[in-house]
Amino acid sequence: MIQATGTYLLTIPLPLEEGGLLDGTQVAYDTYGEPSGENSVVLLHDLAQSHRALGPAEASAYQASGWGRELIGERRPLDPSSLHILSPNLLGSPFGTTSPLTEDPYTGQPLGPSLPLLTVVDMARVLSAFMRGVGLKRVRALIGVGLGGMVALRLAALFPELTAGVVAIGASRALPEPLRDRLGMFNQLLWMDPEFREGFYSPDAGPRRTLRKLRLEYLRLLYGRELLTARYRDITTAEQALEADADAFSATFDANAWSLLCTAYAGCDLTEFLPKIRAQVLLITGASDMLAPPARVRETYHLLSASGVQARYHELQGAGDHGALLTETRRMHGPVRDFLRRLR
């Protein structure tokens, strides 16, 4: 398997949806396989993951990398022997792409809260510039998980010529309204923590107690009781695992970046943009996914179909929590492989 990693620097300022320009934008990425014709796919990570889809694994209970091991590889839907896979880091994510951790060239300090508010549209525009910058005028598919799935759908609507297909895993037109409201409050809760210091905390400090609490709350959305009890010997052990993840997350993930990404996720509603998609679309969700409930994903499917988009809907039965989508992927291997094979 051929693998490369790098950082691409945009050559022109990026106009932001909320106003202003973002200069010197960079995108960190990994690639697997070799380009050959139109065999490229772009793989987009979820809210708390990085672009390192195959790892390496971190020595931590919180794993930002390695989430794509069941998707990428021989006899898997994304086989690098026949596909060229690009996995970029989303704008605002603190793993190498421009984010609050990026150094301000004028002060030498992290951008922190001075980085403007970012949206899913901004993420899509950066990806479009990145794809063109690395020589990709059109790809076979955009494949995204959770937040990445929303970005993939928005990118396909914004630049219909860029892709033949979209695979949105655990994503719909918008988060359920109660979750949109709750994730939208994460920014306020962080600001209320005295250790947040209006975003200008030192690199070794910050609102770790609040960040831990918010991560734990989010994990309980990802993993339901049925999945946890199936994975661990009892609910107490499962709870300890979630708390260990939240501890590690709060010690490593940047609070400004978490606030920025959650705000973008909560603020995204693709309803009016779905009719602009020209690519074929495959929507995949789990039967008990709280972030992309089957009813919301079916609604998205019907909106796409009513607009003339060739769309498919696939619901994973069994342990179908959002957090299981990438650990129980064998159930989606067939639908994804078949969808990619039929794209032209």
Side-chain angles (χ1 to χ4, degrees):
M1 180 187 300
I2 296 175
Q3 177 177 348
T5 187
T7 302
Y8 177 78
L9 181 66
L10 272 64
T11 56
I12 58 174
L14 173 74
L16 298 176
E17 184 179 21
E18 298 296 327
L21 295 172
L22 188 60
D23 203 2
T25 306
Q26 61 185 27
V27 179
Y29 65 94
D30 277 4
T31 67
Y32 313 95
E34 289 187 315
S36 176
E38 291 189 355
N39 75 325
S40 296
V41 297
V42 175
L43 181 62
L44 304 176
H45 61 84
D46 206 345
L47 180 66
Q49 272 64 58
S50 78
H51 58 292
R52 311 303 302 272
L54 292 184
E58 294 90 356
S60 167
Y62 160 60
Q63 296 286 314
S65 305
W67 50 271
R69 293 192 188 99
E70 292 297 324
L71 280 177
I72 304 171
E74 186 179 358
R75 293 193 295 273
R76 288 177 170 81
L78 306 183
D79 188 340
S81 67
S82 60
L83 292 174
H84 176 228
I85 305 151
L86 289 91
S87 180
N89 192 218
L90 294 176
L91 181 66
S93 178
F95 297 103
T97 293
T98 296
S99 76
L101 286 182
T102 302
E103 183 179 295
D104 187 326
Y106 300 103
T107 66
Q109 299 297 314
L111 288 170
S114 64
L115 184 67
L117 181 68
L118 302 176
T119 68
V120 165
V121 174
D122 300 325
M123 297 174 187
R125 286 174 176 161
V126 165
L127 289 173
S128 170
F130 161 72
M131 291 166 62
R132 290 187 170 94
V134 298
L136 294 178
K137 295 181 179 179
R138 182 176 172 83
V139 297
R140 181 175 297 184
L142 303 170
I143 303 173
V145 185
L147 173 61
M150 286 185 164
V151 176
L153 289 167
R154 188 65 182 93
L155 179 55
L158 197 61
F159 300 103
E161 75 285 356
L162 274 182
T163 185
V166 177
V167 180
I169 303 170
S172 62
R173 65 169 183 81
L175 291 170
E177 279 67 25
L179 292 187
R180 295 185 72 187
D181 293 342
R182 185 57 185 169
L183 258 66
M185 290 182 60
F186 280 12
N187 176 58
Q188 299 176 39
L189 295 171
L190 286 168
W191 272 78
M192 291 169 61
D193 189 321
E195 298 301 318
F196 189 65
R197 302 182 187 277
E198 298 184 343
F200 293 102
Y201 46 83
S202 62
D204 59 345
R208 292 186 176 179
R209 182 176 298 180
T210 300
L211 191 58
R212 179 189 184 279
K213 179 180 178 181
L214 297 179
R215 173 62 176 174
L216 195 56
E217 180 177 340
Y218 186 72
L219 286 172
R220 289 182 175 130
L221 296 174
L222 297 183
Y223 301 105
R225 188 181 184 91
E226 180 183 354
L227 178 65
L228 289 174
T229 51
R231 184 173 296 180
Y232 301 96
R233 64 176 182 268
D234 54 55
I235 197 63
T236 299
T237 305
E239 187 66 23
Q240 290 172 348
L242 296 186
E243 290 179 355
D245 181 301
D247 287 337
F249 179 86
S250 64
T252 57
F253 207 97
D254 179 61
N256 279 312
W258 184 244
S259 170
L260 204 64
L261 291 168
C262 288
T263 300
Y265 202 2
C268 180
D269 189 338
L270 304 175
T271 305
E272 65 178 293
F273 306 108
L274 295 177
K276 298 180 181 180
I277 295 175
R278 295 294 173 264
Q280 297 183 46
V281 176
L282 172 62
L283 301 169
I284 298 176
T285 190
S288 52
D289 191 336
M290 294 183 66
L291 297 180
R296 177 58 62 95
V297 181
R298 283 195 297 269
E299 177 190 32
T300 305
Y301 162 77
H302 289 306
L303 288 170
L304 287 165
S305 298
S307 301
V309 178
Q310 294 185 50
R312 302 181 191 182
Y313 169 81
H314 186 77
E315 182 178 328
L316 302 176
Q317 300 301 318
D321 299 335
H322 193 84
L325 291 174
L326 291 177
T327 57
E328 310 291 334
T329 57
R330 296 188 186 278
R331 293 172 296 162
M332 72 171 79
H333 281 193
V336 173
R337 189 183 293 113
D338 181 64
F339 178 79
L340 294 177
R341 185 171 56 246
R342 293 171 182 267
L343 292 175
R344 293 290 183 270

